[in-house]
Amino acid sequence: MSNVLAIIACPQRLAQGQLAAEALRKAAQQAGHQIAIEIRHAQSVQGRLDEAQLAAADAVIVIAEGDADTGRLHGRASHAAKLDAVLANAAGVIATALGSTPATASGSKLRIVAITSCPTGIAHTFMAAEGLSQAAANLGHDIKVETQGSVGSQNTLGAADIAAADLVIIAADTQVNLDRFAGKRLYSSGTKAAINDGIALVKRAQAEARPHQAAGSDAQPQAAANPDSKNSERSAAYKHLMTGVSFMLPFVVTGGLLIALGFALGGIYVYEDAFKGTLGWTLFNIGAKASFALMVPVLAGYIAYSIADRPGIAPGMAGGMIAGAIGSGFLGGIVAGFIAGYTVKYLNEKIQLGRNFDGLKPVLILPLLGTTIVGLLMYYVLGQPVAAALGVVTDWLKGLQGSSALALGMILGGMMAFDMGGPINKAAYTFATGLLASQVYAPMAAVMAAGMTPPLGIALAALLFKNRFSADEREGAKAAGVLGISFITEGAIPFAAKDPLRVIPALVAGSALAGAISMAAGCELRVPHGGVFVLPIPNAVTNLGMYLVALVAGTVLTAVALGLVKKPAN
């Protein structure tokens, strides 16, 4: 057992710094090492390392994008690591710092490449990368993980990496382009498998991976490589939807913030002609008539892209534009995206023009036929019924009061905490986000409050009921609190995974209360992300006082419930 120290000084990437600290703690624990971590914020230092700790360390890891105060090391050797490298392979960073290479468990060392991706590209993406990296390190394999996150691809796999790889693992909840892996043994799963049990996933991939066939090949498609997947079609539909949501989110976030800033500068009637030409009016229109106007076409376009690749984008986006024009909103966009995707996919399989003319299919024939079919179906068959259904839902939501609003808030809140970023959580989030295009803002407020509550409740419980948490858990709870205020519900996952039967009900109870209070109080939120950092923006949240009451009440209930149900730590 070795004594490892880490200094993380990344003040501009605070949330990722906290995730890196958790990754290092987990990797050290799995390898049997002791670790102490100092995290340096802009104004404070968490877990400051003293001279005695520095003197007794077997290795010091420095992750610095700011001042790490390395002068106190007095020239002793340290291992400099990049933040992204720690997020991708914490176990490897520790092993390198100690000058050791993990031994293989099976005697055959594999070279693995992997890609992780989730709809929001924040927490699950990096947690899945961490899970795979630690698993490969523990099994003695080499791995490089590309994360397709909110800021684009990081640790990108090069042609040489792929050529040398023995195995490809895709742990993603969104569609990932697999063209570059043609001929390689490939295994696909969601991010949850990598987060919950990375070792089992790597072993399963090693046993069940099949050579990936490039698009258009006559060989059996990769989708059949995992025959034990009983719900493959349902899983595929979810992945297609989440791909659309992931591309839509930046438009919704940007549009919501610009609308809120327009209200802040010009008041709640800034959109009227009397304010035309003012900065507030301009910002409002950029947000409402540019970013927000694109959210449904982008949602539909990238659902179709996930199903049919690039030829599906034009028919999907055209269907999304029609959905917006006829008032069927995000529901119509979802319908249009799936119709466009499966129509283009079917046409691509059935239309065979021969080698000389196949080049016309992706740029002319498929977009033209797909757009025509989707457009006609949306205008003459599906658009109006979907618009009517959305209108009924919208009117019902806007008219909710009293017990009805309370019940909906409880349901949405409970869904946000039940699987913390999984399908149920994403269903509630997608529902609330989609309604923003229909000027229904109350569900979004309930969902964000409920999503912040689990990690905040854990942080508070670790402070109030210290005997219920180990020293490592209390340290990790601080990171969870930071993620909580940022509306990253996944910060609660490590605690729920250790004791799900006790922790998850407590989290659900607190989130249900937060959602219920928010809905019952009529709180509205125009921005679909950002946590507490968007609350100071005027008019981003209506009834801010009661919104804070909802957040505090949910957090306190979660903490108290955890204190009651969790057993004392050993």
Side-chain angles (χ1 to χ4, degrees):
M1 180 175 69
S2 300
N3 183 20
V4 182
L5 303 181
I7 302 171
I8 301 176
C10 302
Q12 303 304 316
R13 300 170 70 186
L14 180 57
Q16 288 181 305
Q18 297 283 2
L19 286 171
E22 288 305 301
L24 288 170
R25 286 193 186 94
K26 187 174 179 181
Q29 182 181 16
Q30 289 183 344
H33 303 313
Q34 290 184 342
I35 190 167
I37 302 175
E38 174 181 300
I39 303 177
R40 303 179 68 85
H41 307 308
Q43 305 295 333
S44 63
V45 178
Q46 175 185 326
R48 185 186 297 273
L49 301 173
D50 57 34
E51 292 291 337
Q53 289 175 297
L54 292 169
D58 296 308
V60 179
I61 301 169
V62 179
I63 304 104
E65 295 179 357
D67 180 19
D69 190 19
T70 54
R72 56 193 159 141
L73 299 179
H74 303 299
R76 71 159 291 166
S78 62
H79 175 68
K82 293 184 178 180
L83 181 61
D84 295 332
V86 175
L87 290 169
N89 187 1
V93 170
I94 292 175
T96 302
L98 290 169
S100 61
T101 302
T104 66
S106 62
S108 59
K109 187 173 186 177
L110 296 178
R111 288 168 294 186
I112 303 172
V113 294
I115 295 178
T116 63
S117 176
C118 70
T120 54
I122 302 175
H124 272 66
T125 297
F126 295 103
M127 293 171 75
E130 174 197 338
L132 285 175
S133 299
Q134 291 178 4
N138 288 337
L139 294 171
H141 304 313
D142 291 332
I143 191 169
K144 181 175 181 180
V145 184
E146 175 181 314
T147 54
Q148 296 186 358
S150 56
V151 293
S153 296
Q154 297 179 346
N155 204 33
T156 304
L157 301 175
D161 298 317
I162 297 170
D166 302 306
L167 177 65
V168 179
I169 299 176
I170 308 297
D173 298 325
T174 60
Q175 193 70 12
V176 174
N177 191 325
L178 304 178
D179 290 349
R180 51 182 162 157
F181 302 117
K184 287 292 180 180
R185 295 182 67 242
L186 184 146
Y187 185 86
S188 295
S189 79
T191 57
K192 191 174 182 180
I195 294 169
N196 291 347
D197 194 345
I199 290 177
L201 175 58
V202 172
K203 289 181 177 178
R204 193 182 314 124
Q206 188 175 357
E208 300 178 15
R210 299 288 183 271
H212 174 63
Q213 305 298 335
S217 170
D218 293 332
Q220 185 181 19
Q222 174 63 26
N226 305 322
D228 61 330
S229 179
K230 297 179 181 178
N231 300 307
S232 58
E233 286 302 319
R234 185 171 61 186
S235 299
Y238 172 76
K239 182 173 287 190
H240 301 323
L241 176 61
M242 289 300 104
T243 299
V245 170
S246 69
F247 280 95
M248 177 188 75
L249 277 178
F251 294 88
V252 187
V253 173
T254 301
L257 285 171
L258 286 170
I259 289 171
L261 288 172
F263 283 136
L265 293 174
I268 60 174
Y269 300 109
V270 69
Y271 52 84
E272 293 184 349
D273 288 343
F275 295 91
K276 189 172 183 178
T278 65
L279 180 59
W281 180 92
T282 304
L283 291 175
F284 176 89
N285 278 277
I286 294 172
K289 297 183 179 179
S291 279
F292 255 30
L294 285 169
M295 63 178 282
V296 174
V298 168
L299 171 66
Y302 280 96
I303 289 174
Y305 162 77
S306 179
I307 299 168
D309 214 322
R310 281 174 290 182
I313 293 180
M317 287 196 173
M321 288 292 291
I322 294 169
I326 64 179
S328 60
F330 86 101
L331 290 180
I334 292 172
V335 171
F338 278 103
I339 292 174
Y342 285 115
T343 297
V344 171
K345 184 178 181 181
Y346 176 81
L347 293 172
N348 191 27
E349 292 171 352
K350 296 301 179 182
I351 298 175
Q352 301 297 327
L353 300 177
R355 182 178 300 176
N356 293 330
F357 294 99
D358 266 349
L360 293 174
K361 285 167 61 176
V363 296
L364 173 62
I365 296 171
L366 296 178
L368 174 61
L369 292 178
T371 301
T372 302
I373 293 169
V374 172
L376 291 173
L377 286 173
M378 289 299 294
Y379 271 120
Y380 292 126
V381 181
L382 297 169
Q384 293 305 324
V386 174
L390 180 65
V392 170
V393 172
T394 300
D395 292 341
W396 174 68
L397 289 170
K398 287 183 175 180
L400 279 181
Q401 293 180 351
S403 60
S404 297
L406 199 73
L408 180 61
M410 289 180 65
I411 293 170
L412 291 174
M415 290 174 69
M416 289 299 294
F418 183 76
D419 57 359
M420 292 157 284
I424 295 174
N425 168 287
K426 286 295 185 289
Y429 182 71
T430 302
F431 171 74
T433 304
L435 288 169
L436 295 178
S438 302
Q439 291 80 50
V440 179
Y441 305 114
M444 191 71 251
V447 160
M448 191 165 87
M452 295 165 66
T453 296
L456 289 175
I458 287 170
L460 181 60
L463 183 65
L464 298 178
F465 307 103
K466 294 182 179 180
N467 67 325
R468 299 292 196 271
F469 298 84
S470 66
D472 286 343
E473 286 177 329
R474 291 197 297 273
E475 194 68 23
K478 298 175 183 177
V482 174
L483 296 176
I485 64 173
S486 305
F487 184 33
I488 301 177
T489 315
E490 291 89 340
I493 288 177
F495 299 87
K498 288 182 179 179
D499 191 6
L501 295 180
R502 291 185 177 86
V503 173
I504 291 178
L507 302 183
V508 169
S511 291
L513 178 63
I517 294 175
S518 176
M519 282 291 297
C523 301
E524 295 183 340
L525 175 68
R526 287 178 167 81
V527 186
H529 218 292
V532 299
F533 303 104
V534 302
L535 301 187
I537 300 175
N539 299 308
V541 182
T542 60
N543 204 355
L544 179 59
M546 284 304 299
Y547 194 65
L548 293 174
V549 168
L551 185 59
V552 171
T555 300
V556 171
L557 178 58
T558 298
V560 171
L562 288 171
L564 292 174
V565 301
K566 274 182 67 69
K567 291 183 177 180
N570 295 328

